Each structure stands twice: as structure tokens, then as C-alpha cells.
Amino acid sequence: MKGAFPMKFEPAPLEDWMRLYYFAVDDDIGSSGVEDYSLAELRAMLGIGTDELDAVVFRDSTSFGGEEVRTAIAEQWGTGDPDRVMVTHGGSEAIYLVLSTLLDPADAVVVTEPTYHTHTSIARTMGCELRVWPLRPENGFRPDLADLRAVIDGVKAVVVNFPHNPTGASLTPAQRDELVAMCAEAGAYLVWDQAFREMVVEGEPLADPVHDYEKAISIGTLSKGYGLPGLRVGWAIAPHDVLRGTLDLRDRMTLHLSPLVELLATRVARHAGLLVGPRMDQARRNLGLLRQWAADHAELVHLPEPMGGVTTFPQLLGHTDTTGFCHDLAREHRTLLVPGSCFGDPTRVRLGYGGPTSSFTRGLETLALMGENAHVQN
Ligand SMILES: Cc1ncc(COP(=O)(O)O)c(C=O)c1O
């Protein structure tokens, strides 16, 4: 029976790590987001007056999200149809609602490896068969569609996230088209987590498959490129029956969003470029600094070239497990880096370059210093 699975999760090492150190460091070179905005900045950029905030009445919103916010999201990121949009508490809730609704215990699902943890843990916990589409380090984690072709037959869904956390790898537009065609041929849902959609190093964001594939489900968030992780706004753009199905869970969990949050999200969605532009300019400048830093410290680090997002997944040379090193970096030097063990590869670290440039540069200096000391001790 659908929904009768024993929903007991394993701990999520990435979230455990963030709980330990996110609030206990000065310099963050591990996170996957950009510099956060304040409410004052948001109001100034988007022209939100105190009268508009004062006019908010804290009544319930609707289960899928208010008409205005769904319309703004549908027009900015979707097909223009607000009835295909559900507004959620971050992309996290959207992923949970969508996967729990789509999948049954006997289903097979394709996931990339490495990947963001909920893409695998929800399906695994439900008892689904996980089929791996490996993003291979020897190819700089660039996806190879031949690897997907080898596992796609008979699957219920393909779950992807491009640009990809943690590697920064992505698809070319031609590969995106091929992915959509392969899902269509297999009759599989394509769950397209576009958390880092507009965060591309070069060129245009990939076209969202909700525009050209009826079984595509797109998941978005204001937490990454828009610098608003604390607003907790995400969404799913999906076929009506899938959205309707998510209500059984939502009715027992979060019910709906706050009208205040919806007001802010509506305005952000209408002027999304204003927020993301300056943050991506900063991230691209940081990436230039990071490339130079990696070239200057070639004995410490091997940096795969990212295509998007604001993270890369480099190897720290000489480390078979970077976890202890990252603990020391956080505890002794108040610098956050995420050990690759949180993504299943302990020889690597997730390095995030989306933060304020001064703090990012300091974090890299600390990392170099610590790395050189570790080398001397080895
Ligand atoms: C790929 C991906 N999807 C979704 C999320 C969820 O983020 P949020 O719930 O803050 O929107 C994250 C967060 O790191 C992520 O990396």
C-alpha cells in the first residue's frame, strides 16, 4: 500500500556537519550558497514599503501556496500556469513531497553519485531500488549519458541536479536534450532539481524540462543563487496529479506557508535577476581567485573545473580521509570546509566559493597554511 513504508531515516552527515560548525566559524568556504541578503537590503532592492508589510494579515494560506506567489513563480521559472506550482518550505520540502508521492517501494530510481543526500535517502528509505549514474572523477565529474543509458530501463524516475552539488558539474544543452529524450523513451519521470539553475560559470542556464516533457518535475529554491536560505521558500512545478498527491503528506506536516513569506517570495520571483546578478558576479570573481590559488598550491589540491553552482569537489592531496583535517580547520581556525565523507568520497572536500570575497580569500589562506603544515607533518 502506498505510504505504508517504515519512514525511518539514517542521519544525514552533511546536515550533522553543518549543525556542528556552520554557526561556529568566521570564514565559510564550504557552503553551497552565496552571500545572504538582509530584509533591509531586500526591501530597498525590491521597493517593499513598511505599509505593505503592515498590511499582511496572518491568516492561513492555501495548500499549494497563494495565487499571487504561484503566478509569480510560474511566470519567472515555470510554464506560466500557476496551477502547476506548489510553493514549499525550501527545495527540501519539495523534494520530500514529490519523491514520497511518486515512488512506491518496488520502484527503481536513477540517482547520480555523488549526490545531495535527500535525492538518495528518501528513495532508499522507502525501499526503492537505487540505480547509480556515476559522475566520474576521472572525467572531472562531467556526466556521461552512456552511463545513464546503461541503467535507465524500467525505472520510475530519474533524479538529477545540474549544476550539481557538490561537484559543480553540469550538462551541455545537447546533453540536457538527450537526457529528456531518454526519460521520454523509458517513460520515466524526470525530477529536475534546479537549485543552482542560474548559477552558471559561462553561458545561459539550462532550459527547464517542464517546458518540453510532460513527466518532468522541476524543483526550485530561493536558498542558493538568491541569497535567501533563511526565508525557506522553494517550489515544485509538476503535473496536476503529482501535486494533488503531495497534499496527503503536506496536510500532516507543514500545511502551507506564512503570508509574510509569500509576500516576500512573490516580489523576489518578479525581480529575481536583481538579486542573483550581484551574487553571481561575486561568485565568478571568487572562482577566478580560487583557480589562481589552486594553481599556486598544486601540491595541496587538485581542483576539478566547475561548470556551475558555487561548489567544487577537489581532492586534498595526501589525504585518504579529509574529515579530521576539516574538523581541525573548523575548531582551530574557525574556517568551514565540508569533508567529502558527507558525499561518500573521503579523499575530497566540498569547497564553496559563493561567499563574501574578503572572507573567502581569508579562508583559502587558512586552508593553504593548514595544508602546508599537514604536508610537513606527513
Ligand atoms: C541540490 C539541492 N537541492 C535542494 C536543496 C535544498 O535547499 P533548501 O531546502 O534550502 O531550498 C539543496 C541544499 O543544499 C541542494 O543542494
Side-chain angles (χ1 to χ4, degrees), residues 32 89-92 95 116 119 161 165 193 195-196 221 223-224 232:
S32 60
H89 297 80
S92 304
I95 294 168
Y116 181 60
H119 291 179
N161 149 236
N165 179 11
D193 180 346
F196 305 95
T221 178
S223 296
K224 304 299 174 186
R232 305 308 303 139

Side-chain angles (χ1 to χ4, degrees), residues 12-88:
L14 172 66
E15 306 305 337
D16 283 340
W17 188 264
M18 291 308 199
R19 259 187 291 279
L20 259 184
Y21 294 125
Y22 186 78
F23 297 100
V25 296
D26 300 321
D27 298 318
D28 178 351
I29 55 168
S31 288
S32 60
V34 298
E35 185 175 356
D36 302 324
Y37 283 109
S38 70
L39 179 58
E41 288 171 312
L42 206 58
R43 286 185 48 220
M45 292 172 94
L46 304 178
I48 303 171
T50 45
D51 51 332
E52 290 179 83
L53 298 179
D54 286 349
V56 170
V57 177
F58 290 102
R59 61 199 290 249
D60 290 337
S61 184
T62 63
S63 300
F64 292 113
E67 176 86 24
E68 257 199 286
V69 66
R70 283 186 296 111
T71 302
I73 289 173
E75 286 174 355
Q76 181 64 250
W77 294 289
T79 60
D81 177 2
D83 291 341
R84 290 190 63 182
V85 177
M86 174 174 220
V87 194
T88 55

